[in-house]
Amino acid sequence: MSAPDLPSSDRAPFAEKSHTGSSHADSNRLHLQLMGIVNVTPDSFSDGRRYLDLGRATTHIHHLLDEDVDIIDIGGESTRPGAHRIDAEEECRRVLPIIDWVAANTSARLSIDTMRADVAECAVERGASMINDVSGGFADSRMHSVVAASGVQFVIGHWRRYLPRTSTRTVFDVRAVIEELKATVEHSLRSGVGAEQLFVDPGIGFGKDPELNWQILEQLPLLADSLGLPVVIGASRKSFLREVSNRPAAHRDSATTALHTLVASRGGASIIRTHDVAAARDALAVQRKWDDLSRGRSSALRVGRHF
């Protein structure tokens, strides 16, 4: 399967709404893509150990391709709360055989989920076209230079643990997340990364309480329009969903699917990162049908007013 080109920003970062009234959130909504998760780890929060074996990992990737995934995101280090960091050698040992297999046997778009520049560099050499760094490039001082030199797409995650500076706002809220993401984007640009390479991820579940996670999701259009860049959302099976489902991580797919439907309807996201691509694809289909019905009803009402 050949995945379509990824969305990219057609405007400068931090661009305002155009004179026509259209927003970045509106345009992103029309091109929403799905990123399938492949965690090659013994300790990820919902699927640890499941894909450590190459055979199981490749079977899972086949399923993702059958489900029409747009991007495959491969990660070898858990970032769950309390997880211990591993060294670059071990991370490469986990992810590179999977990347080599995908590159040799499929035409899928590949993303490497890592905070280490050495791992990112090796993954790009083997075929990855996106680096997904939950630290925004701050966990490894070489990351921005690797991104700039490679020219691949770069997902800037928001995680206060690694930020060199935080917002001066007295409240840690959505506006503070936006300010801190803007500062990270500016740092990336100063480091030689092109604006066309950049995506932003508000870091659902990374150093945020459940209320802030919900507020970010509810205000995605504001975040997308404030930053003027494509937005990646990774809320799949996250712990804040316990508030509504009261289920363990591996059994939160129903709540995740409902959330993905709302995120798609709300607008603002360009990519949804998910464990269950088939369910997310169904959620997008439901959202599109609902939008079509709503537009048809609005058109009928406008026509009716002329008679």
Side-chain angles (χ1 to χ4, degrees):
M1 181 199 76
S2 178
D5 289 339
L6 292 175
S8 61
S9 176
D10 56 1
R11 303 187 327 204
F14 320 143
E16 299 296 326
K17 186 178 289 190
S18 74
H19 68 278
T20 63
S22 62
S23 68
H24 207 69
D26 294 334
S27 60
N28 290 352
R29 183 181 178 189
L30 300 176
H31 307 288
L32 193 54
Q33 295 190 346
L34 298 179
M35 174 185 279
I37 299 168
V38 182
N39 285 323
V40 194
T41 62
D43 55 346
S44 288
F45 76 95
S46 79
D47 55 0
R49 305 199 69 84
R50 188 171 297 179
Y51 306 120
L52 274 175
D53 175 76
L54 179 61
R56 288 184 179 180
T58 57
T59 297
H60 177 52
I61 290 167
H62 274 302
H63 289 157
L64 293 176
L65 293 172
D66 289 343
E67 293 161 359
D68 200 25
V69 71
D70 297 299
I71 313 148
I72 295 173
D73 190 44
I74 299 173
E77 180 179 35
S78 174
T79 52
R80 66 172 176 80
H84 296 290
R85 296 217 64 190
I86 59 174
D87 59 32
E89 183 178 358
E90 173 62 17
E91 192 174 349
C92 284
R93 188 189 68 78
R94 294 177 184 179
V95 300
L96 294 184
I98 311 294
I99 291 172
D100 288 342
W101 183 90
V102 173
N105 294 279
T106 80
S107 57
R109 297 297 295 269
L110 268 174
S111 167
I112 177 66
D113 178 4
T114 185
M115 294 188 288
R116 294 189 185 278
D118 288 347
V119 177
E121 206 164 29
C122 288
V124 169
E125 289 171 358
R126 287 163 157 35
S129 58
M130 174 181 274
I131 297 168
N132 180 14
D133 185 345
V134 296
S135 79
F138 289 121
D140 188 323
S141 60
R142 287 187 60 244
M143 183 62 84
H144 288 101
S145 62
V146 167
V147 174
S150 68
V152 300
Q153 294 171 317
F154 184 44
V155 181
I156 291 173
H158 178 275
W159 193 358
R160 274 192 158 184
R161 175 185 296 182
Y162 291 100
L163 290 178
R165 290 182 303 279
T166 57
S167 169
T168 57
R169 291 176 64 83
T170 57
V171 178
F172 185 29
D173 58 8
V174 177
R175 288 286 184 182
V177 173
I178 291 171
E179 285 182 14
E180 290 165 5
L181 278 170
K182 281 185 176 181
T184 305
V185 168
E186 289 166 348
H187 178 86
S188 298
L189 295 172
R190 288 195 302 270
S191 301
V193 180
E196 72 283 355
Q197 294 176 251
L198 295 177
F199 292 67
V200 290
D201 180 343
I204 299 297
F206 285 91
K208 300 170 180 71
D209 62 26
E211 185 63 25
L212 180 53
N213 290 321
W214 286 111
Q215 289 171 1
I216 290 169
L217 291 166
E218 196 274 331
Q219 296 185 51
L220 276 182
L222 170 65
L223 187 142
D225 287 338
S226 297
L227 295 169
L229 290 168
V231 176
V232 178
I233 289 297
S236 184
R237 300 180 182 172
K238 293 284 179 76
S239 61
F240 77 101
L241 292 171
R242 275 199 305 249
E243 281 196 339
V244 294
S245 70
N246 196 29
R247 298 179 190 276
H251 299 284
R252 294 181 194 142
D253 284 339
S254 295
T256 297
T257 302
L259 178 63
H260 287 162
T261 307
L262 294 173
V263 167
S265 180
R266 185 73 174 156
S270 287
I271 297 173
I272 289 177
R273 185 176 181 272
T274 180
H275 296 87
D276 190 340
V277 170
R281 186 68 66 193
D282 288 347
L284 300 191
V286 168
Q287 177 266 323
R288 282 193 296 270
K289 182 64 177 178
W290 191 266
D291 270 6
D292 288 345
L293 291 171
S294 298
R295 282 194 295 269
R297 188 162 53 248
S298 297
S299 297
L301 287 172
R302 285 196 297 272
V303 170
R305 292 192 187 102
H306 294 294
F307 291 93

